[in-house]
Amino acid sequence: MMRNDDNPITLDLFADEPPTTSGQIERIGQQAFVLRGFALPWLERLLPALETVLQAAPFRQMVTPGGFTMSVALSSCGALGWTTDRSGYRYTAHDPQTGRPWPDMPALFRELAQAAARAAHFEHFEPDACLINRYVPGARMSLHQDKNERSLSAPIVSMSLGLPAMFQFGGFERSDKTLRVPLFHGDIVVWGGVDRLRYHGVLPLKDGRHPRFGAQRINMTFRTAG
Ligand code: SIN
Ligand code: FE2
């Protein structure tokens, strides 16, 4: 299921192939794993909690320090949430849009993130931030490193819901070759340790309709930020 940038033809042939591999674990780095379908058994309980979070902290499109409006809409829950504006990127305890603290991280989110971390050999994961990204067709996330977190010793746990996307997992320089990993509804990617600072991104979301989520992909990343 993994392919690299040298292979654009197979990319198009297989990008929308549904996962037949639920329960499978794919290693994409020394300490980086794709857990296929890991979130699926949790979803019936998880989605109502996600709705409650999004009512308290709705999706919004943020502006980067460079002045670009991100194509991905964001929200957060947990003690800390991630924001960006013209003055920079940061974690904050309050949602700048509502002036209130970010919604609490539902206990179930934390349990799922910890279970996924354990499956990827990271014990004692204590997430205090959950970033929620919404992609509509055409939305993308350019290659970046996750390095706003105070400590880099905890992994990133990243869950995909809705439409499939092509995740890029690169090296430690932006220009390094990237692995392309198709991510489907219910998949979780975990990277940490020696792989914690790898560049990663998401190619523009293709058109489509997911039976549950319609024309969108939701990504949730769990982090220890503070
Ligand atoms: C991110 O890097 O924050 C998002 C990754 C994803 O949407 O899969
Ligand atoms: Fe990221």
PDB file of all heavy atoms in Angstrom, residues 5 143-145 168-179 198-200:
ATOM      1  N   ASP A   5       7.253   8.764  -4.746  1.00  0.00           N
ATOM      2  CA  ASP A   5       6.968   9.802  -5.734  1.00  0.00           C
ATOM      3  C   ASP A   5       7.374   9.428  -7.161  1.00  0.00           C
ATOM      4  O   ASP A   5       6.997  10.113  -8.097  1.00  0.00           O
ATOM      5  CB  ASP A   5       7.669  11.093  -5.320  1.00  0.00           C
ATOM      6  CG  ASP A   5       6.885  11.777  -4.214  1.00  0.00           C
ATOM      7  OD1 ASP A   5       5.657  11.636  -4.195  1.00  0.00           O
ATOM      8  OD2 ASP A   5       7.500  12.435  -3.388  1.00  0.00           O
ATOM      9  N   LEU A 143       4.027  20.207   2.907  1.00  0.00           N
ATOM     10  CA  LEU A 143       5.001  19.511   3.752  1.00  0.00           C
ATOM     11  C   LEU A 143       5.439  20.412   4.904  1.00  0.00           C
ATOM     12  O   LEU A 143       5.761  21.579   4.706  1.00  0.00           O
ATOM     13  CB  LEU A 143       6.226  19.112   2.921  1.00  0.00           C
ATOM     14  CG  LEU A 143       6.050  17.934   1.970  1.00  0.00           C
ATOM     15  CD1 LEU A 143       7.299  17.772   1.102  1.00  0.00           C
ATOM     16  CD2 LEU A 143       5.757  16.656   2.745  1.00  0.00           C
ATOM     17  N   HIS A 144       5.425  19.843   6.099  1.00  0.00           N
ATOM     18  CA  HIS A 144       5.824  20.599   7.289  1.00  0.00           C
ATOM     19  C   HIS A 144       6.308  19.614   8.345  1.00  0.00           C
ATOM     20  O   HIS A 144       6.082  18.413   8.241  1.00  0.00           O
ATOM     21  CB  HIS A 144       4.636  21.397   7.834  1.00  0.00           C
ATOM     22  CG  HIS A 144       3.523  20.520   8.336  1.00  0.00           C
ATOM     23  ND1 HIS A 144       2.579  19.951   7.495  1.00  0.00           N
ATOM     24  CD2 HIS A 144       3.215  20.079   9.579  1.00  0.00           C
ATOM     25  CE1 HIS A 144       1.749  19.205   8.205  1.00  0.00           C
ATOM     26  NE2 HIS A 144       2.112  19.262   9.483  1.00  0.00           N
ATOM     27  N   GLN A 145       6.964  20.142   9.363  1.00  0.00           N
ATOM     28  CA  GLN A 145       7.326  19.349  10.544  1.00  0.00           C
ATOM     29  C   GLN A 145       6.434  19.795  11.691  1.00  0.00           C
ATOM     30  O   GLN A 145       6.101  20.974  11.787  1.00  0.00           O
ATOM     31  CB  GLN A 145       8.780  19.627  10.949  1.00  0.00           C
ATOM     32  CG  GLN A 145       9.815  19.143   9.971  1.00  0.00           C
ATOM     33  CD  GLN A 145      11.192  19.660  10.348  1.00  0.00           C
ATOM     34  OE1 GLN A 145      11.437  20.869  10.353  1.00  0.00           O
ATOM     35  NE2 GLN A 145      12.098  18.748  10.668  1.00  0.00           N
ATOM     36  N   GLN A 168       1.806  12.172   2.625  1.00  0.00           N
ATOM     37  CA  GLN A 168       3.222  12.151   2.239  1.00  0.00           C
ATOM     38  C   GLN A 168       4.044  12.093   3.515  1.00  0.00           C
ATOM     39  O   GLN A 168       3.832  12.903   4.425  1.00  0.00           O
ATOM     40  CB  GLN A 168       3.590  13.443   1.511  1.00  0.00           C
ATOM     41  CG  GLN A 168       2.849  13.705   0.233  1.00  0.00           C
ATOM     42  CD  GLN A 168       3.150  15.126  -0.234  1.00  0.00           C
ATOM     43  OE1 GLN A 168       2.666  16.090   0.341  1.00  0.00           O
ATOM     44  NE2 GLN A 168       3.968  15.249  -1.256  1.00  0.00           N
ATOM     45  N   PHE A 169       4.970  11.145   3.543  1.00  0.00           N
ATOM     46  CA  PHE A 169       5.827  10.996   4.714  1.00  0.00           C
ATOM     47  C   PHE A 169       7.264  11.096   4.233  1.00  0.00           C
ATOM     48  O   PHE A 169       7.742  10.226   3.492  1.00  0.00           O
ATOM     49  CB  PHE A 169       5.535   9.648   5.384  1.00  0.00           C
ATOM     50  CG  PHE A 169       6.086   9.532   6.783  1.00  0.00           C
ATOM     51  CD1 PHE A 169       5.652  10.380   7.785  1.00  0.00           C
ATOM     52  CD2 PHE A 169       7.029   8.563   7.094  1.00  0.00           C
ATOM     53  CE1 PHE A 169       6.147  10.274   9.082  1.00  0.00           C
ATOM     54  CE2 PHE A 169       7.522   8.443   8.391  1.00  0.00           C
ATOM     55  CZ  PHE A 169       7.077   9.304   9.378  1.00  0.00           C
ATOM     56  N   GLY A 170       7.929  12.171   4.619  1.00  0.00           N
ATOM     57  CA  GLY A 170       9.236  12.466   4.047  1.00  0.00           C
ATOM     58  C   GLY A 170      10.382  12.247   5.012  1.00  0.00           C
ATOM     59  O   GLY A 170      10.312  11.436   5.936  1.00  0.00           O
ATOM     60  N   GLY A 171      11.416  13.014   4.807  1.00  0.00           N
ATOM     61  CA  GLY A 171      12.613  12.907   5.639  1.00  0.00           C
ATOM     62  C   GLY A 171      12.736  14.106   6.550  1.00  0.00           C
ATOM     63  O   GLY A 171      11.735  14.679   6.976  1.00  0.00           O
ATOM     64  N   PHE A 172      13.964  14.489   6.822  1.00  0.00           N
ATOM     65  CA  PHE A 172      14.207  15.570   7.778  1.00  0.00           C
ATOM     66  C   PHE A 172      14.512  16.896   7.090  1.00  0.00           C
ATOM     67  O   PHE A 172      14.730  17.902   7.735  1.00  0.00           O
ATOM     68  CB  PHE A 172      15.315  15.161   8.753  1.00  0.00           C
ATOM     69  CG  PHE A 172      14.942  13.900   9.502  1.00  0.00           C
ATOM     70  CD1 PHE A 172      15.452  12.661   9.123  1.00  0.00           C
ATOM     71  CD2 PHE A 172      14.016  13.954  10.537  1.00  0.00           C
ATOM     72  CE1 PHE A 172      15.070  11.503   9.776  1.00  0.00           C
ATOM     73  CE2 PHE A 172      13.628  12.797  11.191  1.00  0.00           C
ATOM     74  CZ  PHE A 172      14.149  11.569  10.813  1.00  0.00           C
ATOM     75  N   GLU A 173      14.528  16.869   5.774  1.00  0.00           N
ATOM     76  CA  GLU A 173      14.645  18.095   4.970  1.00  0.00           C
ATOM     77  C   GLU A 173      13.407  18.141   4.092  1.00  0.00           C
ATOM     78  O   GLU A 173      12.941  17.117   3.594  1.00  0.00           O
ATOM     79  CB  GLU A 173      15.879  18.033   4.035  1.00  0.00           C
ATOM     80  CG  GLU A 173      17.193  17.787   4.728  1.00  0.00           C
ATOM     81  CD  GLU A 173      17.689  19.016   5.460  1.00  0.00           C
ATOM     82  OE1 GLU A 173      17.224  20.137   5.149  1.00  0.00           O
ATOM     83  OE2 GLU A 173      18.539  18.846   6.366  1.00  0.00           O
ATOM     84  N   ARG A 174      12.906  19.352   3.865  1.00  0.00           N
ATOM     85  CA  ARG A 174      11.695  19.487   3.056  1.00  0.00           C
ATOM     86  C   ARG A 174      11.855  18.860   1.667  1.00  0.00           C
ATOM     87  O   ARG A 174      10.916  18.317   1.100  1.00  0.00           O
ATOM     88  CB  ARG A 174      11.331  20.968   2.918  1.00  0.00           C
ATOM     89  CG  ARG A 174       9.964  21.219   2.299  1.00  0.00           C
ATOM     90  CD  ARG A 174       9.759  22.691   2.029  1.00  0.00           C
ATOM     91  NE  ARG A 174       9.883  23.472   3.251  1.00  0.00           N
ATOM     92  CZ  ARG A 174       8.902  23.636   4.134  1.00  0.00           C
ATOM     93  NH1 ARG A 174       7.725  23.097   3.901  1.00  0.00           N
ATOM     94  NH2 ARG A 174       9.096  24.345   5.211  1.00  0.00           N
ATOM     95  N   SER A 175      13.106  18.935   1.149  1.00  0.00           N
ATOM     96  CA  SER A 175      13.324  18.454  -0.212  1.00  0.00           C
ATOM     97  C   SER A 175      13.544  16.940  -0.283  1.00  0.00           C
ATOM     98  O   SER A 175      13.667  16.390  -1.372  1.00  0.00           O
ATOM     99  CB  SER A 175      14.543  19.181  -0.791  1.00  0.00           C
ATOM    100  OG  SER A 175      15.652  18.945   0.060  1.00  0.00           O
ATOM    101  N   ASP A 176      13.582  16.259   0.854  1.00  0.00           N
ATOM    102  CA  ASP A 176      13.795  14.799   0.815  1.00  0.00           C
ATOM    103  C   ASP A 176      12.624  14.119   0.115  1.00  0.00           C
ATOM    104  O   ASP A 176      11.488  14.575   0.165  1.00  0.00           O
ATOM    105  CB  ASP A 176      13.908  14.239   2.242  1.00  0.00           C
ATOM    106  CG  ASP A 176      15.243  14.573   2.902  1.00  0.00           C
ATOM    107  OD1 ASP A 176      16.147  15.059   2.190  1.00  0.00           O
ATOM    108  OD2 ASP A 176      15.362  14.360   4.127  1.00  0.00           O
ATOM    109  N   LYS A 177      12.939  13.007  -0.506  1.00  0.00           N
ATOM    110  CA  LYS A 177      11.948  12.175  -1.172  1.00  0.00           C
ATOM    111  C   LYS A 177      10.863  11.764  -0.159  1.00  0.00           C
ATOM    112  O   LYS A 177      11.163  11.504   1.005  1.00  0.00           O
ATOM    113  CB  LYS A 177      12.713  10.940  -1.618  1.00  0.00           C
ATOM    114  CG  LYS A 177      12.073  10.013  -2.551  1.00  0.00           C
ATOM    115  CD  LYS A 177      13.177   8.989  -2.915  1.00  0.00           C
ATOM    116  CE  LYS A 177      12.570   7.669  -3.313  1.00  0.00           C
ATOM    117  NZ  LYS A 177      12.273   7.567  -4.719  1.00  0.00           N
ATOM    118  N   THR A 178       9.619  11.721  -0.611  1.00  0.00           N
ATOM    119  CA  THR A 178       8.546  11.330   0.306  1.00  0.00           C
ATOM    120  C   THR A 178       7.926   9.999  -0.101  1.00  0.00           C
ATOM    121  O   THR A 178       7.830   9.676  -1.279  1.00  0.00           O
ATOM    122  CB  THR A 178       7.415  12.390   0.364  1.00  0.00           C
ATOM    123  OG1 THR A 178       6.774  12.462  -0.908  1.00  0.00           O
ATOM    124  CG2 THR A 178       7.941  13.759   0.756  1.00  0.00           C
ATOM    125  N   LEU A 179       7.519   9.267   0.912  1.00  0.00           N
ATOM    126  CA  LEU A 179       6.734   8.058   0.710  1.00  0.00           C
ATOM    127  C   LEU A 179       5.284   8.516   0.588  1.00  0.00           C
ATOM    128  O   LEU A 179       4.862   9.415   1.307  1.00  0.00           O
ATOM    129  CB  LEU A 179       6.913   7.213   1.963  1.00  0.00           C
ATOM    130  CG  LEU A 179       6.481   5.773   1.984  1.00  0.00           C
ATOM    131  CD1 LEU A 179       7.324   4.964   1.014  1.00  0.00           C
ATOM    132  CD2 LEU A 179       6.709   5.238   3.418  1.00  0.00           C
ATOM    133  N   ARG A 198       9.924  14.103  11.110  1.00  0.00           N
ATOM    134  CA  ARG A 198       9.846  13.926   9.652  1.00  0.00           C
ATOM    135  C   ARG A 198       8.847  14.902   9.029  1.00  0.00           C
ATOM    136  O   ARG A 198       7.774  15.149   9.580  1.00  0.00           O
ATOM    137  CB  ARG A 198       9.423  12.504   9.311  1.00  0.00           C
ATOM    138  CG  ARG A 198      10.567  11.515   9.420  1.00  0.00           C
ATOM    139  CD  ARG A 198      10.104  10.181   8.889  1.00  0.00           C
ATOM    140  NE  ARG A 198      11.081   9.168   9.106  1.00  0.00           N
ATOM    141  CZ  ARG A 198      12.026   8.847   8.213  1.00  0.00           C
ATOM    142  NH1 ARG A 198      12.095   9.481   7.053  1.00  0.00           N
ATOM    143  NH2 ARG A 198      12.888   7.904   8.490  1.00  0.00           N
ATOM    144  N   TYR A 199       9.228  15.446   7.893  1.00  0.00           N
ATOM    145  CA  TYR A 199       8.292  16.253   7.113  1.00  0.00           C
ATOM    146  C   TYR A 199       7.131  15.378   6.659  1.00  0.00           C
ATOM    147  O   TYR A 199       7.316  14.202   6.341  1.00  0.00           O
ATOM    148  CB  TYR A 199       8.995  16.847   5.885  1.00  0.00           C
ATOM    149  CG  TYR A 199       9.707  18.136   6.188  1.00  0.00           C
ATOM    150  CD1 TYR A 199      11.016  18.133   6.654  1.00  0.00           C
ATOM    151  CD2 TYR A 199       9.048  19.352   6.042  1.00  0.00           C
ATOM    152  CE1 TYR A 199      11.667  19.327   6.957  1.00  0.00           C
ATOM    153  CE2 TYR A 199       9.691  20.543   6.341  1.00  0.00           C
ATOM    154  CZ  TYR A 199      10.987  20.532   6.791  1.00  0.00           C
ATOM    155  OH  TYR A 199      11.613  21.706   7.098  1.00  0.00           O
ATOM    156  N   HIS A 200       5.938  15.956   6.657  1.00  0.00           N
ATOM    157  CA  HIS A 200       4.762  15.234   6.191  1.00  0.00           C
ATOM    158  C   HIS A 200       3.745  16.229   5.654  1.00  0.00           C
ATOM    159  O   HIS A 200       3.814  17.425   5.961  1.00  0.00           O
ATOM    160  CB  HIS A 200       4.168  14.385   7.322  1.00  0.00           C
ATOM    161  CG  HIS A 200       3.787  15.194   8.515  1.00  0.00           C
ATOM    162  ND1 HIS A 200       4.718  15.617   9.454  1.00  0.00           N
ATOM    163  CD2 HIS A 200       2.604  15.719   8.921  1.00  0.00           C
ATOM    164  CE1 HIS A 200       4.115  16.340  10.367  1.00  0.00           C
ATOM    165  NE2 HIS A 200       2.817  16.433  10.073  1.00  0.00           N
TER     166      HIS A 200
END
